[in-house]
Amino acid sequence: MKDKEQRKIIHVDMDAFYAAVEQRDDPRLRGRPVIVGGPPASRGVVATASYEARRFGVHSAMPSAQAYRLCPHAVFVKPRFEVYRAVSQHIRAVLGRYSELIEPLSLDEAYLDVSISTACRGSATLIARDIKQAIRAATGLVASAGVSYNKFLAKLASDLDKPDGLAVITPAQGPDFVAALPVGRFHGIGRATERRLLALGIATGADLRARSRDELVGHFGKAGAWYHQLARGIDERPVEPDRARKSLGAETTFATDLDDPAEMLGQLRALAAEVATDLARRGLRGRTLTVKVRYADFESVTRSLSFAEPTATYADLEPRLAVLLARTEAGPRRVRLLGVTVSGFETAGRGQGLQLVLF
Ligand SMILES: [Mg+2]
């Protein structure tokens, strides 16, 4: 953060990512409504819908049965997370050519801080265009990008022109953009908070801006101070690259809850393999292994153990998975999500793995 006023942040977001990968890999799916997620007969949910399916009102997190009613001729496809993860790594390698300051948010989304980048003569807009082309060349997939002076606005910008979008919100445009924004679109404002704000007569950024910090803190505590900042287009959160990470993990939500411990263990092994690969690529070794279990009723628990020496290998992680899983109530209680995380990184040798993906 050399100069807070002059930051240039890009938010890259793949368009309908899982569905786009499926359409890329199976030409029969192209041009058709594709729904990646649980089958309609299950109580599964939509992970991603292709744009053809979205036209019928289908969207992520919608129950598959409802998606089927809206779009009965859609093709339902089981998610292939290993493939999505592999594609995601290609995308991250592309991003690594443009900045060392990359913060992945999920498999298909990342922030880049290109404030000090000399690529494209330092033009963040041209860098974003270049990144879109490079991602398409490397993966055959389409990304949208948003460019702005902070994370909050860059993320909103990437959504403005989707799909295949490239939108810029300049420091001069920021305040007007925020003023017109419905409060539900603000970072960290979910449904419940949105309802509370509306009840207070606060519907837009302009309404929010008209309230004092004290009033907002009075209603919403610490979050109120955050809303007060956002209403002015201010967001000083840094882009936090991998090396600033405290942990690295992977998790999967299942289209149908699991009740078979053997299947859960298989899923944990796949996640651990992914985490081990990620750790190796980034040159990280950690001391603590954590397994996360979310039961069907959404209660979550974590179980951890520590190694005598920091490690990054699957061979070290794998035998501990069953031990940690056995310390939960998974099995007797059905499971909707599993996660594996490694934390407690040693500090030496940071960035070794990252260099491999930089040109
Ligand atoms: Mg996306």
Side-chain angles (χ1 to χ4, degrees), residues 175-183 186 201-211 230-232:
D176 284 349
F177 183 87
V178 173
L181 202 65
V183 287
F186 277 70
I202 302 172
T204 66
D207 298 337
L208 197 56
R209 187 173 180 146
R211 306 300 173 104
L230 289 185
R232 284 151 184 80

PDB file of all heavy atoms in Angstrom, residues 175-183 186 201-211 230-232:
ATOM      1  N   PRO A 175     -18.251   7.926  -5.613  1.00  0.00           N
ATOM      2  CA  PRO A 175     -19.301   8.409  -4.702  1.00  0.00           C
ATOM      3  C   PRO A 175     -20.705   8.379  -5.320  1.00  0.00           C
ATOM      4  O   PRO A 175     -21.666   7.966  -4.652  1.00  0.00           O
ATOM      5  CB  PRO A 175     -18.857   9.849  -4.403  1.00  0.00           C
ATOM      6  CG  PRO A 175     -17.362   9.811  -4.560  1.00  0.00           C
ATOM      7  CD  PRO A 175     -17.112   8.860  -5.695  1.00  0.00           C
ATOM      8  N   ASP A 176     -20.843   8.765  -6.587  1.00  0.00           N
ATOM      9  CA  ASP A 176     -22.160   8.720  -7.230  1.00  0.00           C
ATOM     10  C   ASP A 176     -22.646   7.290  -7.389  1.00  0.00           C
ATOM     11  O   ASP A 176     -23.834   6.992  -7.227  1.00  0.00           O
ATOM     12  CB  ASP A 176     -22.112   9.387  -8.618  1.00  0.00           C
ATOM     13  CG  ASP A 176     -22.078  10.903  -8.511  1.00  0.00           C
ATOM     14  OD1 ASP A 176     -22.306  11.422  -7.391  1.00  0.00           O
ATOM     15  OD2 ASP A 176     -21.814  11.566  -9.541  1.00  0.00           O
ATOM     16  N   PHE A 177     -21.714   6.418  -7.738  1.00  0.00           N
ATOM     17  CA  PHE A 177     -22.078   5.012  -7.910  1.00  0.00           C
ATOM     18  C   PHE A 177     -22.623   4.451  -6.606  1.00  0.00           C
ATOM     19  O   PHE A 177     -23.671   3.798  -6.575  1.00  0.00           O
ATOM     20  CB  PHE A 177     -20.854   4.208  -8.381  1.00  0.00           C
ATOM     21  CG  PHE A 177     -21.159   2.775  -8.642  1.00  0.00           C
ATOM     22  CD1 PHE A 177     -21.635   2.361  -9.884  1.00  0.00           C
ATOM     23  CD2 PHE A 177     -21.000   1.827  -7.641  1.00  0.00           C
ATOM     24  CE1 PHE A 177     -21.940   1.039 -10.116  1.00  0.00           C
ATOM     25  CE2 PHE A 177     -21.312   0.491  -7.870  1.00  0.00           C
ATOM     26  CZ  PHE A 177     -21.779   0.101  -9.112  1.00  0.00           C
ATOM     27  N   VAL A 178     -21.912   4.719  -5.528  1.00  0.00           N
ATOM     28  CA  VAL A 178     -22.330   4.208  -4.222  1.00  0.00           C
ATOM     29  C   VAL A 178     -23.660   4.831  -3.797  1.00  0.00           C
ATOM     30  O   VAL A 178     -24.531   4.158  -3.247  1.00  0.00           O
ATOM     31  CB  VAL A 178     -21.242   4.479  -3.158  1.00  0.00           C
ATOM     32  CG1 VAL A 178     -21.736   4.120  -1.774  1.00  0.00           C
ATOM     33  CG2 VAL A 178     -19.977   3.687  -3.485  1.00  0.00           C
ATOM     34  N   ALA A 179     -23.836   6.109  -4.085  1.00  0.00           N
ATOM     35  CA  ALA A 179     -25.067   6.796  -3.671  1.00  0.00           C
ATOM     36  C   ALA A 179     -26.303   6.132  -4.271  1.00  0.00           C
ATOM     37  O   ALA A 179     -27.346   6.031  -3.622  1.00  0.00           O
ATOM     38  CB  ALA A 179     -25.000   8.271  -4.088  1.00  0.00           C
ATOM     39  N   ALA A 180     -26.173   5.649  -5.502  1.00  0.00           N
ATOM     40  CA  ALA A 180     -27.326   5.063  -6.191  1.00  0.00           C
ATOM     41  C   ALA A 180     -27.523   3.586  -5.858  1.00  0.00           C
ATOM     42  O   ALA A 180     -28.535   2.993  -6.212  1.00  0.00           O
ATOM     43  CB  ALA A 180     -27.139   5.220  -7.707  1.00  0.00           C
ATOM     44  N   LEU A 181     -26.575   3.011  -5.147  1.00  0.00           N
ATOM     45  CA  LEU A 181     -26.586   1.562  -4.916  1.00  0.00           C
ATOM     46  C   LEU A 181     -27.603   1.167  -3.843  1.00  0.00           C
ATOM     47  O   LEU A 181     -27.627   1.738  -2.760  1.00  0.00           O
ATOM     48  CB  LEU A 181     -25.182   1.160  -4.447  1.00  0.00           C
ATOM     49  CG  LEU A 181     -24.746  -0.292  -4.605  1.00  0.00           C
ATOM     50  CD1 LEU A 181     -24.652  -0.678  -6.073  1.00  0.00           C
ATOM     51  CD2 LEU A 181     -23.396  -0.488  -3.917  1.00  0.00           C
ATOM     52  N   PRO A 182     -28.449   0.146  -4.134  1.00  0.00           N
ATOM     53  CA  PRO A 182     -29.339  -0.367  -3.088  1.00  0.00           C
ATOM     54  C   PRO A 182     -28.503  -0.974  -1.950  1.00  0.00           C
ATOM     55  O   PRO A 182     -27.481  -1.604  -2.222  1.00  0.00           O
ATOM     56  CB  PRO A 182     -30.140  -1.462  -3.791  1.00  0.00           C
ATOM     57  CG  PRO A 182     -29.918  -1.264  -5.262  1.00  0.00           C
ATOM     58  CD  PRO A 182     -28.601  -0.572  -5.404  1.00  0.00           C
ATOM     59  N   VAL A 183     -28.948  -0.801  -0.709  1.00  0.00           N
ATOM     60  CA  VAL A 183     -28.119  -1.240   0.423  1.00  0.00           C
ATOM     61  C   VAL A 183     -27.852  -2.751   0.415  1.00  0.00           C
ATOM     62  O   VAL A 183     -26.834  -3.205   0.920  1.00  0.00           O
ATOM     63  CB  VAL A 183     -28.714  -0.826   1.789  1.00  0.00           C
ATOM     64  CG1 VAL A 183     -28.543   0.668   2.005  1.00  0.00           C
ATOM     65  CG2 VAL A 183     -30.167  -1.246   1.906  1.00  0.00           C
ATOM     66  N   PHE A 186     -24.418  -3.811  -0.768  1.00  0.00           N
ATOM     67  CA  PHE A 186     -23.205  -3.429  -0.046  1.00  0.00           C
ATOM     68  C   PHE A 186     -22.509  -4.643   0.545  1.00  0.00           C
ATOM     69  O   PHE A 186     -23.151  -5.584   0.998  1.00  0.00           O
ATOM     70  CB  PHE A 186     -23.547  -2.431   1.081  1.00  0.00           C
ATOM     71  CG  PHE A 186     -23.663  -1.026   0.613  1.00  0.00           C
ATOM     72  CD1 PHE A 186     -24.729  -0.642  -0.181  1.00  0.00           C
ATOM     73  CD2 PHE A 186     -22.709  -0.084   0.943  1.00  0.00           C
ATOM     74  CE1 PHE A 186     -24.842   0.663  -0.633  1.00  0.00           C
ATOM     75  CE2 PHE A 186     -22.808   1.223   0.493  1.00  0.00           C
ATOM     76  CZ  PHE A 186     -23.875   1.601  -0.298  1.00  0.00           C
ATOM     77  N   GLY A 201     -35.639   3.347   6.947  1.00  0.00           N
ATOM     78  CA  GLY A 201     -35.767   4.288   5.838  1.00  0.00           C
ATOM     79  C   GLY A 201     -34.475   4.434   5.041  1.00  0.00           C
ATOM     80  O   GLY A 201     -34.284   5.416   4.316  1.00  0.00           O
ATOM     81  N   ILE A 202     -33.579   3.466   5.179  1.00  0.00           N
ATOM     82  CA  ILE A 202     -32.302   3.523   4.459  1.00  0.00           C
ATOM     83  C   ILE A 202     -32.347   2.489   3.330  1.00  0.00           C
ATOM     84  O   ILE A 202     -32.239   1.291   3.578  1.00  0.00           O
ATOM     85  CB  ILE A 202     -31.115   3.234   5.401  1.00  0.00           C
ATOM     86  CG1 ILE A 202     -31.102   4.241   6.553  1.00  0.00           C
ATOM     87  CG2 ILE A 202     -29.791   3.250   4.640  1.00  0.00           C
ATOM     88  CD1 ILE A 202     -30.087   3.928   7.642  1.00  0.00           C
ATOM     89  N   ALA A 203     -32.516   2.966   2.105  1.00  0.00           N
ATOM     90  CA  ALA A 203     -32.659   2.048   0.970  1.00  0.00           C
ATOM     91  C   ALA A 203     -31.460   2.088   0.037  1.00  0.00           C
ATOM     92  O   ALA A 203     -31.179   1.122  -0.665  1.00  0.00           O
ATOM     93  CB  ALA A 203     -33.940   2.380   0.184  1.00  0.00           C
ATOM     94  N   THR A 204     -30.758   3.219   0.009  1.00  0.00           N
ATOM     95  CA  THR A 204     -29.646   3.378  -0.938  1.00  0.00           C
ATOM     96  C   THR A 204     -28.404   3.900  -0.217  1.00  0.00           C
ATOM     97  O   THR A 204     -28.456   4.299   0.948  1.00  0.00           O
ATOM     98  CB  THR A 204     -29.998   4.432  -2.016  1.00  0.00           C
ATOM     99  OG1 THR A 204     -30.123   5.710  -1.365  1.00  0.00           O
ATOM    100  CG2 THR A 204     -31.276   4.088  -2.746  1.00  0.00           C
ATOM    101  N   GLY A 205     -27.304   3.924  -0.982  1.00  0.00           N
ATOM    102  CA  GLY A 205     -26.066   4.472  -0.455  1.00  0.00           C
ATOM    103  C   GLY A 205     -26.245   5.914  -0.019  1.00  0.00           C
ATOM    104  O   GLY A 205     -25.678   6.347   0.990  1.00  0.00           O
ATOM    105  N   ALA A 206     -27.045   6.670  -0.787  1.00  0.00           N
ATOM    106  CA  ALA A 206     -27.270   8.077  -0.430  1.00  0.00           C
ATOM    107  C   ALA A 206     -27.980   8.176   0.917  1.00  0.00           C
ATOM    108  O   ALA A 206     -27.626   9.018   1.754  1.00  0.00           O
ATOM    109  CB  ALA A 206     -28.098   8.762  -1.526  1.00  0.00           C
ATOM    110  N   ASP A 207     -28.978   7.287   1.132  1.00  0.00           N
ATOM    111  CA  ASP A 207     -29.682   7.280   2.428  1.00  0.00           C
ATOM    112  C   ASP A 207     -28.722   6.953   3.559  1.00  0.00           C
ATOM    113  O   ASP A 207     -28.766   7.557   4.639  1.00  0.00           O
ATOM    114  CB  ASP A 207     -30.799   6.226   2.433  1.00  0.00           C
ATOM    115  CG  ASP A 207     -31.861   6.500   1.378  1.00  0.00           C
ATOM    116  OD1 ASP A 207     -31.988   7.667   0.964  1.00  0.00           O
ATOM    117  OD2 ASP A 207     -32.549   5.535   0.976  1.00  0.00           O
ATOM    118  N   LEU A 208     -27.857   5.979   3.291  1.00  0.00           N
ATOM    119  CA  LEU A 208     -26.892   5.539   4.294  1.00  0.00           C
ATOM    120  C   LEU A 208     -25.932   6.670   4.634  1.00  0.00           C
ATOM    121  O   LEU A 208     -25.599   6.923   5.791  1.00  0.00           O
ATOM    122  CB  LEU A 208     -26.126   4.337   3.731  1.00  0.00           C
ATOM    123  CG  LEU A 208     -25.337   3.439   4.668  1.00  0.00           C
ATOM    124  CD1 LEU A 208     -26.210   2.887   5.785  1.00  0.00           C
ATOM    125  CD2 LEU A 208     -24.740   2.272   3.872  1.00  0.00           C
ATOM    126  N   ARG A 209     -25.518   7.370   3.611  1.00  0.00           N
ATOM    127  CA  ARG A 209     -24.555   8.443   3.771  1.00  0.00           C
ATOM    128  C   ARG A 209     -25.113   9.602   4.596  1.00  0.00           C
ATOM    129  O   ARG A 209     -24.373  10.344   5.246  1.00  0.00           O
ATOM    130  CB  ARG A 209     -24.134   8.934   2.381  1.00  0.00           C
ATOM    131  CG  ARG A 209     -23.021   9.921   2.441  1.00  0.00           C
ATOM    132  CD  ARG A 209     -22.504  10.281   1.067  1.00  0.00           C
ATOM    133  NE  ARG A 209     -21.432  11.237   1.228  1.00  0.00           N
ATOM    134  CZ  ARG A 209     -20.378  11.317   0.455  1.00  0.00           C
ATOM    135  NH1 ARG A 209     -20.254  10.488  -0.553  1.00  0.00           N
ATOM    136  NH2 ARG A 209     -19.450  12.206   0.671  1.00  0.00           N
ATOM    137  N   ALA A 210     -26.437   9.742   4.547  1.00  0.00           N
ATOM    138  CA  ALA A 210     -27.067  10.856   5.262  1.00  0.00           C
ATOM    139  C   ALA A 210     -27.106  10.626   6.772  1.00  0.00           C
ATOM    140  O   ALA A 210     -27.400  11.539   7.536  1.00  0.00           O
ATOM    141  CB  ALA A 210     -28.484  11.068   4.721  1.00  0.00           C
ATOM    142  N   ARG A 211     -26.826   9.368   7.211  1.00  0.00           N
ATOM    143  CA  ARG A 211     -26.875   9.072   8.644  1.00  0.00           C
ATOM    144  C   ARG A 211     -25.490   9.223   9.263  1.00  0.00           C
ATOM    145  O   ARG A 211     -24.488   8.928   8.623  1.00  0.00           O
ATOM    146  CB  ARG A 211     -27.382   7.646   8.887  1.00  0.00           C
ATOM    147  CG  ARG A 211     -28.714   7.348   8.225  1.00  0.00           C
ATOM    148  CD  ARG A 211     -29.831   8.262   8.715  1.00  0.00           C
ATOM    149  NE  ARG A 211     -31.050   8.049   7.947  1.00  0.00           N
ATOM    150  CZ  ARG A 211     -32.102   7.381   8.408  1.00  0.00           C
ATOM    151  NH1 ARG A 211     -32.093   6.879   9.622  1.00  0.00           N
ATOM    152  NH2 ARG A 211     -33.177   7.238   7.645  1.00  0.00           N
ATOM    153  N   LEU A 230     -18.243   2.625   3.798  1.00  0.00           N
ATOM    154  CA  LEU A 230     -18.640   2.164   2.461  1.00  0.00           C
ATOM    155  C   LEU A 230     -19.543   3.181   1.775  1.00  0.00           C
ATOM    156  O   LEU A 230     -19.458   3.380   0.557  1.00  0.00           O
ATOM    157  CB  LEU A 230     -19.371   0.812   2.546  1.00  0.00           C
ATOM    158  CG  LEU A 230     -18.538  -0.419   2.898  1.00  0.00           C
ATOM    159  CD1 LEU A 230     -19.412  -1.668   2.813  1.00  0.00           C
ATOM    160  CD2 LEU A 230     -17.325  -0.566   1.973  1.00  0.00           C
ATOM    161  N   ALA A 231     -20.411   3.821   2.542  1.00  0.00           N
ATOM    162  CA  ALA A 231     -21.342   4.802   1.962  1.00  0.00           C
ATOM    163  C   ALA A 231     -20.583   5.948   1.313  1.00  0.00           C
ATOM    164  O   ALA A 231     -21.123   6.665   0.471  1.00  0.00           O
ATOM    165  CB  ALA A 231     -22.284   5.334   3.039  1.00  0.00           C
ATOM    166  N   ARG A 232     -19.335   6.123   1.717  1.00  0.00           N
ATOM    167  CA  ARG A 232     -18.486   7.166   1.123  1.00  0.00           C
ATOM    168  C   ARG A 232     -17.519   6.591   0.093  1.00  0.00           C
ATOM    169  O   ARG A 232     -16.576   7.256  -0.335  1.00  0.00           O
ATOM    170  CB  ARG A 232     -17.724   7.886   2.246  1.00  0.00           C
ATOM    171  CG  ARG A 232     -18.631   8.843   2.984  1.00  0.00           C
ATOM    172  CD  ARG A 232     -18.256   9.061   4.428  1.00  0.00           C
ATOM    173  NE  ARG A 232     -19.285   9.928   5.036  1.00  0.00           N
ATOM    174  CZ  ARG A 232     -20.469   9.474   5.443  1.00  0.00           C
ATOM    175  NH1 ARG A 232     -20.761   8.202   5.354  1.00  0.00           N
ATOM    176  NH2 ARG A 232     -21.364  10.310   5.934  1.00  0.00           N
TER     177      ARG A 232
END
